[in-house]
Amino acid sequence: MLVPLQGQPQPRLGINVLTMDESGRPVLGVQVEVKLDQRRVTVGEVNDVGRISFLELRTGLYTVTATRDGFLPTEKKDIDLTLGSVTLELVMLPLPTRTDSVEVRGTVAEITGASVPNTLPPEKAKELPSRPATVADVLPLTPGVVREPGGGLILSSSPESRSALIVNSADVTDPGTGQFGLTVPIDSVEVLNVYQTAYLAEYGRFTAGLVSVETKRGGDKWKWELNDPLPEFRIRSWQLRGLKTATPRINFEGPLIKSKLFFNQGLEYEIHKTAVYTLPFPFNQKKTQGMNSFSQIDWIASARHLLTATLHAAPQRLEGLNLDYYNPSPTTPDAHTRNLTGTIADHLTLYGGLWENRFSATYFDGSVWGKGQGGLTISPTGNSGYYFADQNRGASRLSGNSSYSFAPLAKLGTHQFKLGAYLAGSEHSGDIVERPIRITNLAGQVLVNVDFPRTRDFEVTDTERSFFVQDHWIVSPRLAVDIGARSESQQISGATRIAPRAGLSWVPADKYRTILRGGAGYFYDRVPLNVYAFNRYPGRLETTYDNAGNTLTGPTLFVNTLGHDIVRRPFVTQSPSDGNFSPRSLLWSAQAEQPITKWLKARVTYLRNDSDSLVILNRVGPTVAGGEGAYLLQGTGSSRYRQLDFTAQVKMRADRELFFSYVRSGARGDLNDFGKYLGTVQNPIIRENQYGTLGTDLPNRFLAWGVVRLPMKFQIAPVVEYRSGFPYLQTTVSQQYFDVPNSTRYPNFFSIDSRFSKDLKINKDYSIRLSVSGFNLTNHFNPEQVHSNFADPAFGQFFGHRGRRFTVDFDFLF
């Protein structure tokens, strides 16, 4: 044993601890205990960035344990301070808090990784004025995510079909369209992460963004919550004009078998009648009616073994899809959709690591039909007739994935290896009946006539495989590197794609707590099956006329075909067959994160996403008079997206939290993305493809929101948004491009919304929450539509303003 010399300064030994979740974000509120020879030495709680330091320790073998409600206890033994101070990173796994919980231990590292998401707190988001009910409802609260004028979600200026949605690590997107569908109830969500830079190789099958949802597990005590129990009625001119909205939501959870079997249920029933302000009442009502149910059971099989089963069911009936000034009620379709998803997940601690297996079955079906049989007439001032395409379809997927996270390996730092595989079989089938389309001028003279010679049905199948390996390498206490690669293949495309990725995270100096992150990598889309059904859609028989009714061209049959990619690209091997598409993105980013005070944290991020081989629709004319033309799906599209965003989080207390973001971005690309024409509701007009500003481009967007608890159990939840207006197309009398596409914009959008609420205690177990919500409090002019056809006498005028409005509601709290 070494005995220190008298008067010689002793080394200042210590243990530095950082607590984080599996995605690399700090976990706050964690109690950390330090023991030496089974005796407690000290204990403390991590700070606002998940860190705590224990100094002035003597040499020895220590044990560090981290605990927090809602997470498994995480422990690290035999920490040797003989050679100096040690920095630990403890990964907290979000499992039910109970004394005999599964012993899945956290792993050790020294710094967070490069893939850091934007995390939305569901409990706070659902208190906002819009009263979001599902995951999709809250996504626009994050930088880089907005809703387009048609209602679809846009991530990094790209449609849903280029992003992925996983719930408890299982893919739940529609195999047929790539859309998210009706997402799980927000009351069932524990963690909601949105990635624009997901460099970990375990994530794949997208080129724009990833939405990752972790659902709640039942607790040790039964809890109930009832939201929006009473309907909202429509009152016009002081007269009751029927039901406007009813969205009762109930959530309950608790133990079925104490300390063993736990249950959580979220259930919503909804009736929404949304008024379209550009049409007269009562012919301006879009109606949605349906149910959204999510059930989860967790079984602790043993001290190291957890099983989880979930079931999501979401049937919906939709009336008046795409209802607006130009598409009055008779021209709009009605629809019925259904989504069923079941999963089983197995988590097992094995040889010091974590082995996870998941199996899921997803089924989507939908029917879309018009209100009549006479076909659709399109004119510069509005449409008439009936919706032109009836469709019945179904899509299903059976999938399984397995992964193993190895125990940390201490060699040239610390390595956390993980590898996994994914296998899925999917099917998409249905039929389409399409009726004539007529494009007319103001006088009613037909300029273009489109007939569909026959009804077609379709059926396609696919098998997907992927493998990944990754390493989170802790080079030093202030430097970590993520490196990995994944292989993806779709049997129907005949392509195999390799996606190498790397990222790093660096803390230049502990004193300032600045974190610098960066990364780069390739990402590939899974191509939805409706792309491969396109050549089985009805062909278009087109005839064009002049203003006097004389035939200019046609009738010409345009058949639907699939092209093939002949350009060889690195990391992609493909057969020369039709449909050998491999849409991909090369993404890189740089980020700096800085805690400014104990209650203020700021982050700045720059990302660049360059995509190629995107699937687009092109029109190919007949090469000889009287010959056939084609509408050709090709993998030749490209896009470019740049984003610089500044975000800040102000957390004065757990119940006083505000979020701020400003995004400066630019998006250009090919305009004829396949999703515009092959979705559930089809576009009757197909224009020539051009490369230019995307219709989802928003150069500037500022967003602030939060929830602040006030004295006397009052609460205020404000939302402030200011952004550029969306671009729109100007068209000719024949509905073709009049000017450079998307060169004109709607006016800038500005809205201040707020919800003010008060909790009233009924007894020790029950309370009610009364609230008043206000929207567009400044009454800013935010038009919904524009006269965009050059032949329209009102060309260039904006209209459809939603003014200042208020709602009242209350919730039961159990």
Side-chain angles (χ1 to χ4, degrees):
M1 179 178 180
L2 296 176
V3 179
L5 297 176
Q6 185 69 24
Q8 181 176 336
Q10 301 303 306
R12 190 186 188 198
L13 301 178
I15 298 176
N16 304 303
V17 178
L18 171 63
T19 55
M20 61 180 290
D21 60 20
E22 291 174 289
S23 65
R25 292 185 62 85
V27 176
L28 310 184
V30 178
Q31 294 288 328
V32 181
E33 181 185 59
V34 178
K35 290 183 178 180
L36 178 63
D37 298 331
Q38 302 302 315
R39 288 181 291 107
R40 175 188 286 185
V41 175
T42 183
V43 66
E45 182 174 328
V46 299
N47 61 16
D48 60 342
V49 293
R51 290 181 179 271
I52 189 171
S53 296
F54 302 99
L55 305 177
E56 306 297 346
L57 302 178
R58 61 188 178 90
T59 58
L61 293 177
Y62 287 84
T63 298
V64 173
T65 305
T67 58
R68 183 195 144 174
D69 289 344
F71 291 81
L72 281 174
T74 303
E75 183 179 81
K76 176 63 179 175
K77 296 182 178 180
D78 299 329
I79 302 170
D80 190 356
L81 298 188
T82 303
L83 300 179
S85 297
V86 173
T87 299
L88 305 176
E89 182 184 89
L90 302 182
V91 178
M92 308 294 293
L93 299 179
L95 296 174
T97 303
R98 46 190 65 93
T99 54
D100 55 350
S101 58
V102 182
E103 188 183 353
V104 182
R105 299 188 181 276
T107 55
V108 182
E110 281 80 15
I111 195 171
T112 57
S115 299
V116 178
N118 291 308
T119 299
L120 276 170
E123 292 299 322
K124 292 182 173 60
K126 70 181 185 179
E127 297 295 330
L128 297 179
S130 60
R131 304 307 308 275
T134 69
V135 167
D137 293 339
V138 303
L139 290 179
L141 295 172
T142 60
V145 183
V146 295
R147 282 200 180 275
E148 64 176 340
L153 282 171
I154 299 297
L155 287 79
S156 299
S157 284
S158 300
E160 282 181 32
S161 58
R162 290 185 55 193
S163 294
L165 171 63
I166 57 176
V167 176
N168 301 324
S169 297
D171 181 9
V172 296
T173 53
D174 183 346
T177 65
Q179 303 292 310
F180 290 176
L182 186 60
T183 52
V184 300
I186 194 66
D187 296 328
S188 299
V189 176
E190 181 74 30
V191 179
L192 175 54
N193 290 324
V194 181
Y195 292 87
Q196 289 181 282
T197 57
Y199 294 119
L200 293 177
E202 63 185 284
Y203 299 130
R205 307 171 68 243
F206 62 90
T207 56
L210 168 69
V211 179
S212 175
V213 177
E214 296 293 330
T215 54
K216 290 180 180 178
R217 297 166 172 90
D220 292 311
K221 296 181 180 180
W222 283 100
K223 298 179 182 178
W224 303 76
E225 184 177 351
L226 178 62
N227 296 304
D228 297 336
L230 297 182
E232 179 183 352
F233 295 94
R234 187 180 303 281
I235 299 176
R236 292 178 60 87
S237 302
W238 304 102
Q239 293 184 358
L240 182 64
R241 303 299 296 269
L243 184 68
K244 179 181 179 181
T245 299
T247 57
R249 308 196 319 268
I250 186 170
N251 183 267
F252 55 92
E253 61 172 286
L256 297 175
I257 300 176
K258 185 178 180 181
S259 302
K260 280 293 181 182
L261 189 63
F262 302 86
F263 180 70
N264 186 298
Q265 173 68 54
L267 178 64
E268 176 198 18
Y269 176 77
E270 67 165 342
I271 296 178
H272 277 290
K273 294 182 180 178
T274 305
V276 176
Y277 279 45
T278 55
L279 293 171
F281 182 84
F283 307 106
N284 64 343
Q285 304 292 299
K286 291 195 294 186
K287 182 178 178 181
T288 301
Q289 182 176 0
M291 183 186 72
N292 194 359
S293 172
F294 187 84
S295 308
Q296 178 165 325
I297 293 179
D298 295 281
W299 177 39
I300 297 180
S302 71
R304 296 175 178 267
H305 195 188
L306 172 71
L307 289 168
T308 299
T310 66
L311 177 63
H312 181 215
Q316 263 193 330
R317 170 68 184 263
L318 306 155
E319 297 180 13
L321 288 172
N322 295 344
L323 182 68
D324 60 25
Y325 175 82
Y326 293 101
N327 295 282
S329 181
T331 68
T332 62
D334 298 337
H336 177 272
T337 64
R338 182 173 53 177
N339 172 17
L340 294 172
T341 300
T343 68
I344 297 176
D346 179 88
H347 311 264
L348 178 65
T349 301
L350 187 68
Y351 300 116
L354 181 62
W355 186 24
E356 298 177 283
N357 295 281
R358 295 178 179 86
F359 304 92
S360 69
T362 296
Y363 177 74
F364 285 80
D365 69 18
S367 297
V368 180
W369 61 91
K371 296 180 173 66
Q373 301 295 317
L376 180 67
T377 299
I378 301 172
S379 80
T381 56
N383 303 336
S384 59
Y386 302 100
Y387 178 68
F388 73 103
D390 293 350
Q391 181 180 170
N392 298 286
R393 71 174 189 90
S396 63
R397 181 196 301 113
L398 291 175
S399 65
N401 64 294
S402 181
S403 65
Y404 185 73
S405 301
F406 290 84
L409 174 64
K411 193 174 184 66
L412 297 177
T414 303
H415 295 267
Q416 295 176 340
F417 290 102
K418 185 175 183 178
L419 55 82
Y422 171 84
L423 177 65
S426 52
E427 178 268 346
H428 185 219
S429 60
D431 60 78
I432 298 178
V433 178
E434 294 183 313
R435 291 177 290 276
I437 299 170
R438 291 174 292 275
I439 299 176
T440 70
N441 59 20
L442 286 176
Q445 173 64 51
V446 176
L447 302 179
V448 180
N449 187 82
V450 181
D451 288 310
F452 300 89
R454 60 175 178 150
T455 300
R456 298 292 299 272
D457 54 19
F458 57 87
E459 182 175 1
V460 292
T461 60
D462 189 25
T463 300
E464 295 179 74
R465 299 178 180 85
S466 65
F467 306 91
F468 76 87
V469 59
Q470 66 189 37
D471 178 23
H472 181 60
W473 176 23
I474 317 306
V475 182
S476 73
R478 298 208 304 263
L479 177 64
V481 176
D482 289 315
I483 189 168
R486 65 180 289 120
S487 168
E488 300 177 354
S489 66
Q490 277 187 268
Q491 184 183 57
I492 197 169
S493 72
T496 300
R497 312 130 183 172
I498 306 298
R501 300 174 195 166
L504 61 85
S505 183
W506 177 44
V507 178
D510 286 333
K511 177 181 178 181
Y512 301 106
R513 300 185 296 172
T514 304
I515 304 177
L516 303 179
R517 301 184 181 95
Y522 278 102
F523 297 81
Y524 297 91
D525 269 330
R526 76 278 187 244
V527 182
L529 295 184
N530 60 359
V531 168
Y532 296 98
F534 178 66
N535 59 359
R536 298 172 177 85
Y537 283 16
R540 297 167 65 104
L541 188 64
E542 300 185 4
T543 307
T544 63
Y545 306 89
D546 62 19
N547 288 325
N550 301 311
T551 300
L552 293 178
T553 62
T556 303
L557 179 64
F558 287 81
V559 296
N560 302 315
T561 60
L562 297 178
H564 61 272
D565 193 350
I566 60 175
V567 179
R568 299 186 63 86
R569 292 176 173 83
F571 306 115
V572 177
T573 59
Q574 56 195 27
S575 66
S577 60
D578 291 342
N580 62 346
F581 307 135
S582 293
R584 70 172 185 175
S585 288
L586 174 59
L587 173 69
W588 67 265
S589 66
Q591 182 183 92
E593 183 175 304
Q594 178 64 61
I596 298 173
T597 69
K598 66 179 182 180
W599 48 267
L600 174 61
K601 180 171 64 176
R603 179 191 296 173
V604 57
T605 306
Y606 177 79
L607 68 88
R608 174 171 174 161
N609 189 328
D610 294 303
S611 302
D612 59 36
S613 303
L614 303 180
V615 181
I616 59 173
L617 183 61
N618 275 309
R619 175 189 170 109
V620 180
T623 57
V624 296
E628 290 186 350
Y631 283 104
L632 179 65
L633 280 181
Q634 294 177 293
T636 57
S638 62
S639 68
R640 185 188 70 184
Y641 180 68
R642 308 289 185 264
Q643 177 179 312
L644 176 66
D645 68 77
F646 302 86
T647 61
Q649 178 182 357
V650 178
K651 188 172 184 179
M652 295 162 281
R653 295 185 343 200
D655 56 0
R656 294 182 180 177
E657 194 166 9
L658 297 171
F659 302 86
F660 301 85
S661 65
Y662 169 72
V663 176
R664 174 72 176 175
S665 64
R668 292 177 61 81
D670 284 281
L671 303 185
N672 280 16
D673 179 85
F674 74 91
K676 292 182 179 180
Y677 306 100
L678 307 187
T680 301
V681 179
Q682 296 189 33
N683 192 332
I685 299 172
I686 303 177
R687 300 181 177 92
E688 296 289 342
N689 178 59
Q690 292 194 29
Y691 186 94
T693 301
L694 294 178
T696 54
D697 176 60
L698 290 178
N700 298 283
R701 186 188 186 215
F702 171 81
L703 179 67
W705 66 277
V707 177
V708 178
R709 177 72 67 172
L710 303 174
M712 301 177 61
K713 296 188 177 180
F714 284 99
Q715 179 176 279
I716 187 169
V719 179
V720 179
E721 182 177 10
Y722 177 83
R723 60 167 172 78
S724 305
F726 279 103
Y728 66 91
L729 298 176
Q730 294 180 326
T731 55
T732 65
V733 64
S734 59
Q735 304 298 325
Q736 298 305 306
Y737 294 127
F738 169 69
D739 200 352
V740 177
N742 297 324
S743 59
T744 49
R745 293 181 178 272
Y746 280 85
N748 291 340
F749 177 93
F750 177 64
S751 182
I752 298 178
D753 308 334
S754 187
R755 180 173 180 240
F756 188 71
S757 60
K758 163 73 173 176
D759 291 352
L760 299 176
K761 195 80 171 177
I762 299 176
N763 57 39
K764 66 176 183 178
D765 296 319
Y766 305 107
S767 299
I768 62 172
R769 176 171 294 166
L770 303 176
S771 64
V772 177
S773 298
F775 302 88
N776 194 11
L777 296 177
T778 64
N779 204 31
H780 187 266
F781 180 61
N782 296 319
E784 295 187 347
Q785 289 201 270
V786 60
H787 293 278
S788 59
N789 192 288
F790 183 71
D792 188 339
F795 176 68
Q797 295 181 18
F798 298 95
F799 61 107
H801 166 55
R802 286 180 178 263
R804 186 186 298 112
R805 57 201 185 276
F806 298 90
T807 61
V808 178
D809 60 66
F810 74 90
D811 303 324
F812 287 108
L813 307 177
F814 296 86

